């Protein structure tokens, strides 16, 4: 590593910079290198240490590079750890959040789909509704290391019941005739609030499209 600048060298450096010299020109003038020479320096980690790092991430995909480095005693810096993971085929990305269905949920959904599979007449009178949270903030997203060219399979998806972040909550309905009302929800969606939406928002607006009868189908996870 190059030594520290003397007071005279510091003064000369400042003077040259004030004359709009580039850093490389100042370094050349002072006969100094811009940075440490790295030619000839081998990898800081062995193949076995790399494999231990990869194995750790394979078993702990939600851990950060910091934790991986600490947990495996990887000899390189944090940046080297991140670079090594990238070289080994891992991509750092935002983890998907899903509520996983149980086997009972799956069987009941298939049963319902098979029951109403034939004919479209039934669906012509069905109104679907759901709530949605629109988020504007990117803070607090958990990242995950997963192999490249792979989809977000179960091992790389975080199980959760809510996102933990929200900005605007809305409720809306849709039918075969197109989208219906999109209603902003103020505060938490309590049972009393939801009942009020059904009585004073859903029924009046849906009745304009279906004056006689309809089937209300709330979308459940």
């Amino acid at each position: 590593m190059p030594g520290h600048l003397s007071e005279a060298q510091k003064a000369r450096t400042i003077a040259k910079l004030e004359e709009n010299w580039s850093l490389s020109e100042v370094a050349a003038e002072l006969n100094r290198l811009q940075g440490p020479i790295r030619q000839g320096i081998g990898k800081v980690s062995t193949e076995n240490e790399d494999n231990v790092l990869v194995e750790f991430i394979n078993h702990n995909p939600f851990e950060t590079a910091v934790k991986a480095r600490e947990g495996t005693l990887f000899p390189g810096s944090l940046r080297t750890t991140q670079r090594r993971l990238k070289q080994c085929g891992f991509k750092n990305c935002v983890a998907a959040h899903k509520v996983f269905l149980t086997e009972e949920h799956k069987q009941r959904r298939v049963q319902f789909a098979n029951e109403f599979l034939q004919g479209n007449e039934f669906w012509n009178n069905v109104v679907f509704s759901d709530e949605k949270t629109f988020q504007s903030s990117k803070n607090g997203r958990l990242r995950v290391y997963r192999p490249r060219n792979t989809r977000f399979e179960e091992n790389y998806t975080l199980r959760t019941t809510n996102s933990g972040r929200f900005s605007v909550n809305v409720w809306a309905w849709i039918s075969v005739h197109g989208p219906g009302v999109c209603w902003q929800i103020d505060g938490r969606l309590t049972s009393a609030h939801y009942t009020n939406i059904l009585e004073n928002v859903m029924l009046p607006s849906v009745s304009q499209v279906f004056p006689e009868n309809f089937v209300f189908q709330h979308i459940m996870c």
Side-chain angles (χ1 to χ4, degrees), residues 75-130:
S77 65
L78 175 59
R79 181 162 300 224
T80 301
T81 304
Q82 295 169 332
R83 184 168 57 249
R84 191 73 77 247
L85 289 172
K86 184 176 181 180
Q87 292 171 346
C88 293
F90 289 93
K91 178 181 179 181
N92 184 249
C93 51
V94 178
H97 290 67
K98 292 183 180 178
V99 177
F100 282 86
L101 299 177
T102 65
E103 287 301 320
E104 181 183 0
H105 290 152
K106 297 176 182 178
Q107 293 174 7
R108 291 173 62 182
R109 290 190 174 195
V110 172
Q111 179 182 353
F112 178 86
N114 289 331
E115 184 177 351
F116 295 96
L117 183 62
Q118 302 298 327
N120 296 323
E121 199 170 313
F122 169 78
W123 299 108
N124 289 339
N125 295 322
V126 176
V127 173
F128 295 92
S129 78
D130 199 8

Side-chain angles (χ1 to χ4, degrees), residues 62 94-101 105 135 140-142 154 156-165 221:
F62 294 105
V94 178
H97 290 67
K98 292 183 180 178
V99 177
F100 282 86
L101 299 177
H105 290 152
Q135 303 169 343
R141 297 186 300 179
L142 179 64
E154 182 173 342
Y156 305 102
T157 302
L158 182 66
R159 291 172 173 79
T160 181
T161 55
N162 55 71
S163 66
R165 300 179 292 117
C221 294

